[in-house]
Amino acid sequence: MQVWKFGGTSVGKPERMKSIRQLITEDGQPKVVVLSALSGTTNALLSITESVISNNIAEAEAKATFLKDHYDSFIRELYLTEKGLNAGQEIINREFDYIQKLIGTTPYSNKEEKEMVALGELLSTQIFEAYLQEEGVDSLLLPALDFMVIDEDNEPIMWKIEKNIAEILAPHKGKQIFITQGFICRNPSGEVDNLKRGGSDYTASLIGGAIQAEEVQIWTDIDGMHNNDPRIVKNTFPIRELSFAEAAELAYFGAKILHPSTITPAKMKGVPVRLKNTMEPTAFGTLISEKSTDIEIKAIAAKDNITAIYIHSTRMLNAYGFLKRVFEVFEKYKTPVDMITTSEVSVSVTIDQTTHLDAIMSDLREFAELENPDKDQVIICIVGNFWADKEGIAIKVLDAIKSIPIRMISYGASEHNISLLVDAKHKNDALNALNDGLFKK
Ligand code: ASP
Ligand code: MG
């Protein structure tokens, strides 16, 4: 069994949905198909939520009507039969009635907000399943809310997901196509929740891991993970093969094509992940697996909106326990640290979640001296095989970027990553300079 995930743009137009129906059935192989919401829907639902929260009910209702119009015309192009169209209209009416009900709920809490944002995937999957039925495809809709569960720390509970899916699939041996929602799940209180923005990729790999799939395929509209950001650098190319470790670094450090958590369950269960392009289905794409290739420098990615914090020990030389105290502060505020550099008396760290920045600074000040944090920084991450015994790699990277001021450098944490911190204003120049220096023959 394979797991195939299609993102918002892949299901965003009726003709795209039709071509997906073709794609998932033509090889005759059984699969679980994970869908995102139609492109724009999740943002639209969040925007309705914003209006409700700011007490602008009329505005929320107008936004909901606008969105419903979009779905009404979508299904008129999708279904070919009266019966199909009626089935589609029934789904839309029911779910938009629910949106109305949520808009009118007071108080409108976190719970309502999460139910609202879940409707995108609930709509796309039901509409698609009704289309498959109209087309006579042997398919079944599996509600993700019946098996996808997270714990108090918002982490998926793998063993439970595995058990739930096994039970749900057991009575359906021989079924060709299962459809399910990406992104949405239930929390420990049994409420509707989600795996964070872009989380449908994560759903796919969680399911892939849970059923020990042959392969997880993430279908988007570009031809795999590129060696650099194609929006900023010209002549980038897709990377054919990446190891789990390399792909995880790239996804985490900014390659937008994949949700960063996606690699973990696939890697844990040894399930390969392939990135494919719906516009060019026969292209190879990018294969992410246990296997690593010996290409030295594979790719560059950039992560925006980074804040650097500079911390100096007041107890000066040879003090121990300092780093422990520093990291306890970040742990207390559940704020992940991305990059670290140290000297004997100082440590600099970067974070991308700044919700608790003031509190973190004030706790650190109790035992350390701080400089003003630098906001609007970018981590540039160079991924490849940087074996410990290999000479000349750092010089290549630094030489390529010699005209750009660098704030922090991290080398040697893993054999696959060199990270540099630069001010956002130098990002584009840095990516281009690295591209010229590292990829141009
Ligand atoms: N629909 C969700 C989002 O827009 C999840 C996803 O597309 O992966 O973030
Ligand atoms: Mg995505």
Side-chain angles (χ1 to χ4, degrees), residues 283-329:
F284 184 86
T286 297
L287 178 64
I288 303 164
S289 70
E290 240 136 41
K291 213 176 106 206
S292 69
T293 51
D294 54 9
I295 296 171
E296 193 175 275
I297 291 176
K298 281 201 174 163
I300 301 166
K303 189 173 181 189
D304 300 320
N305 298 319
I306 300 294
T307 297
I309 305 174
Y310 308 105
I311 309 157
H312 309 290
S313 164
T314 41
R315 298 233 323 272
M316 301 304 279
L317 281 166
N318 289 330
Y320 53 80
F322 180 64
L323 286 177
K324 175 168 183 268
R325 293 184 74 186
V326 167
F327 288 111
E328 272 167 359
V329 172

Side-chain angles (χ1 to χ4, degrees), residues 8-114:
T9 43
S10 306
V11 289
K13 297 226 165 69
E15 67 268 20
R16 303 293 300 276
M17 241 188 204
K18 290 182 189 185
S19 59
I20 286 171
R21 171 244 179 278
Q22 182 69 26
L23 261 179
I24 61 173
T25 49
E26 67 193 359
D27 64 1
Q29 297 300 313
K31 46 185 81 78
V32 178
V33 175
V34 177
L35 299 188
S36 291
L38 312 197
S39 51
T41 297
T42 307
N43 286 341
L45 294 165
L46 283 169
S47 159
I48 294 174
T49 280
E50 265 168 37
S51 301
V52 180
I53 289 172
S54 52
N55 251 324
N56 206 335
I57 301 303
E59 187 183 81
E61 279 172 351
K63 285 176 181 172
T65 308
F66 187 77
L67 189 63
K68 181 169 185 294
D69 286 347
H70 176 65
Y71 278 85
D72 286 342
S73 49
F74 188 97
I75 59 167
R76 279 196 296 273
E77 273 180 61
L78 180 68
Y79 300 106
L80 300 172
T81 64
E82 180 90 20
K83 195 167 159 231
L85 189 59
N86 287 340
Q89 195 64 60
E90 204 180 296
I91 293 161
I92 291 173
N93 293 347
R94 176 168 19 89
E95 300 301 4
F96 277 87
D97 281 351
Y98 195 64
I99 290 178
Q100 284 301 336
K101 189 177 152 233
L102 287 173
I103 291 175
T105 306
T106 40
Y108 186 91
S109 64
N110 226 345
K111 175 173 173 283
E112 280 73 32
E113 176 168 353
K114 284 176 169 164

Side-chain angles (χ1 to χ4, degrees), residues 365-385:
R365 243 180 235 115
E366 282 172 20
F367 59 91
E369 276 168 19
L370 304 180
E371 284 170 45
N372 284 337
D374 276 327
K375 297 188 179 164
D376 216 8
Q377 303 294 300
V378 176
I379 294 177
I380 300 202
C381 154
I382 298 115
V383 164
N385 289 298

Side-chain angles (χ1 to χ4, degrees), residues 5 8 36-37 42 121 183 196-201:
K5 178 259 168 179
S36 291
T42 307
E121 273 69 13
F183 180 58
K196 310 263 157 63
R197 293 307 305 269
S200 296
D201 298 343

Side-chain angles (χ1 to χ4, degrees), residues 307-430:
T307 297
I309 305 174
Y310 308 105
I311 309 157
H312 309 290
S313 164
T314 41
R315 298 233 323 272
M316 301 304 279
L317 281 166
N318 289 330
Y320 53 80
F322 180 64
L323 286 177
K324 175 168 183 268
R325 293 184 74 186
V326 167
F327 288 111
E328 272 167 359
V329 172
F330 290 94
E331 189 189 348
K332 178 173 163 197
Y333 293 102
K334 294 196 170 166
T335 300
V337 168
D338 285 329
M339 214 177 143
I340 314 166
T341 55
T342 62
S343 77
E344 178 63 32
V345 293
S346 303
V347 47
S348 303
V349 304
T350 71
I351 57 174
D352 73 340
Q353 292 171 24
T354 50
T355 331
H356 303 294
L357 180 61
D358 291 342
I360 289 171
M361 299 283 288
S362 131
D363 280 21
L364 288 171
R365 243 180 235 115
E366 282 172 20
F367 59 91
E369 276 168 19
L370 304 180
E371 284 170 45
N372 284 337
D374 276 327
K375 297 188 179 164
D376 216 8
Q377 303 294 300
V378 176
I379 294 177
I380 300 202
C381 154
I382 298 115
V383 164
N385 289 298
F386 311 134
W387 302 279
D389 292 334
K390 185 96 204 278
E391 76 295 336
I393 295 171
I395 187 79
K396 248 188 236 170
V397 170
L398 294 178
D399 190 47
I401 200 170
K402 62 174 176 274
S403 61
I404 315 277
I406 301 171
R407 300 247 166 130
M408 284 169 66
I409 301 177
S410 169
Y411 180 80
S414 93
E415 289 195 326
H416 302 291
N417 172 317
I418 300 173
S419 295
L420 309 169
L421 188 76
V422 302
D423 193 281
K425 63 176 182 261
H426 299 303
K427 173 184 170 182
N428 292 6
D429 289 342

